[in-house]
Amino acid sequence: MFGSLRFLLAYLVILSHLVGTEYVAHFGFYAVRGFFVISGLMMTAALNEVYGFDGVRFWTNRALRLLPPYYFVCALTLLAITIAPGQAANYLKFWRGVPDAGDLLINLTVLPLQFPYGSFRFIPPFWSVAIEIDMYLLLFLIVSRRMGWALIALVTGLTFQLACLYNAIGWGLEYFTVPSAVFPFAAGAVLYFLRRDLRWTVPPLAAGCAFAAWITNMVAGGAVLPASHIFGPGYLIDTICFAVVVSGLSGLSAHQFGPLVERIDRTLGEWSYFAFLVHWLAGFLVTGILYNRDWRGWTLLLAVTPVVLVSSAVLASLNRAFVEPLRSRVRRLAGPYRPVAALAVADETLHGLGAAAETNAN
């Protein structure tokens, strides 16, 4: 059931961007953290059960998953900006001016997007994917290899989060940096080892309660609870509740609920990354065609949603035709998938977002 959950997270990121109000901004922040927890679980499962820590095949598959659709949407974005540069500059601050060689290099190499270099971003929330790639490296080198390392990373990440909470460290450091992602990624890795060793899993009812608590915590922040809760205790509660949800879902598979539910879940999961990639461009096209300068709002979100869905379906179809055969070949070279007992991780792909996520992502 991770497919539907990933799409929900992607849509929360879209909502936080396109509605444009201060209240919904943190919906995207919390969704990115959720992507990171799922990614920690899934990447740890993939490294242990699919690739056996074969770095060449793992990184080749990650690159094939993330980069071709990203570059394709970047090219479409550049075309749209070139056609309507003035409207693009008014629509999004990251699209002001003509990208120079440095801007192009930063966007094409991805990893610099997590740093405040340059001002031009084809897909602004792709910084979260740059963070994810850094975390993949940490998982590959240390965290995903054994439970002890995952627990050390969990404690280290939690310590950083508590330091941010109690010492009022700036929000930029608490959210937009690699150290901020250690806690949710490590939580996902720990959940994998707990599941694999049959030590602890969350029953579905508890996972449902945790999901309700996650939604309540997100919706109440800035409404019933003050903004200080959003960027303080609520930010930590968000990760803990979502980790419980992920633990519960790791024991479920969509096929248990019938072929229709399984197909919907698989489709939504496949679309989630593409929705994350294309939503700013879709919003720009809709505002230019239908609204003429109504750059943000709930009406815009409703108008953009079908465009995002159709675009995601098209990108998914192209991805299946041209990229997935290569990824499947890489997985076969890595050996057969060897899931542990009762671990229902249906696929090792994410987003994302990030960026995720950015999955994410924001």
Side-chain angles (χ1 to χ4, degrees), residues 30-202:
Y30 286 14
V32 169
R33 299 281 285 192
F35 271 124
F36 287 171
V37 175
I38 295 175
S39 189
L41 170 68
M42 297 182 113
M43 291 302 103
T44 300
L47 284 166
N48 281 276
E49 299 174 14
V50 179
Y51 299 104
F53 292 91
D54 184 328
V56 173
R57 295 187 177 102
F58 173 73
W59 288 107
T60 299
N61 214 326
R62 286 294 86 204
L64 288 170
R65 168 58 175 164
L66 298 175
L67 297 182
Y70 167 68
Y71 291 145
F72 184 70
V73 175
C74 284
L76 294 178
T77 302
L78 180 60
L79 177 63
I81 294 172
T82 303
I83 294 173
Q87 293 90 331
N90 289 328
Y91 175 71
L92 192 61
K93 67 178 182 180
F94 295 103
W95 292 351
R96 293 171 184 168
V98 178
D100 57 25
D103 292 323
L104 292 176
L105 183 62
I106 287 171
N107 282 269
L108 291 178
T109 53
V110 176
L111 288 179
L113 292 173
Q114 63 193 289
F115 305 112
Y117 298 147
S119 58
F120 194 95
R121 299 285 191 274
F122 287 112
I123 302 175
F126 214 72
W127 66 266
S128 62
V129 177
I131 295 291
E132 288 220 14
I133 294 172
D134 290 336
M135 289 306 305
Y136 293 163
L137 180 60
L138 185 62
L139 293 176
F140 174 77
L141 293 176
I142 301 174
V143 177
S144 295
R145 292 183 179 267
R146 61 182 62 184
M147 170 65 94
W149 290 116
L151 287 173
I152 291 173
L154 183 71
V155 173
T156 302
L158 178 59
T159 301
F160 176 81
Q161 295 294 165
L162 292 175
C164 291
L165 176 63
Y166 290 109
N167 294 324
I169 295 176
W171 175 246
L173 184 62
E174 188 177 358
Y175 178 60
F176 292 101
T177 64
V178 172
S180 71
V182 172
F183 179 53
F185 264 92
V190 168
L191 291 178
Y192 166 78
F193 287 116
L194 288 174
R195 186 78 192 177
R196 187 194 67 178
D197 299 337
L198 302 179
R199 294 176 181 173
W200 179 80
T201 52
V202 172

Side-chain angles (χ1 to χ4, degrees), residues 8 17 41 71 84 221 253 345:
L8 171 64
H17 288 161
L41 170 68
Y71 291 145
S253 178
V345 180

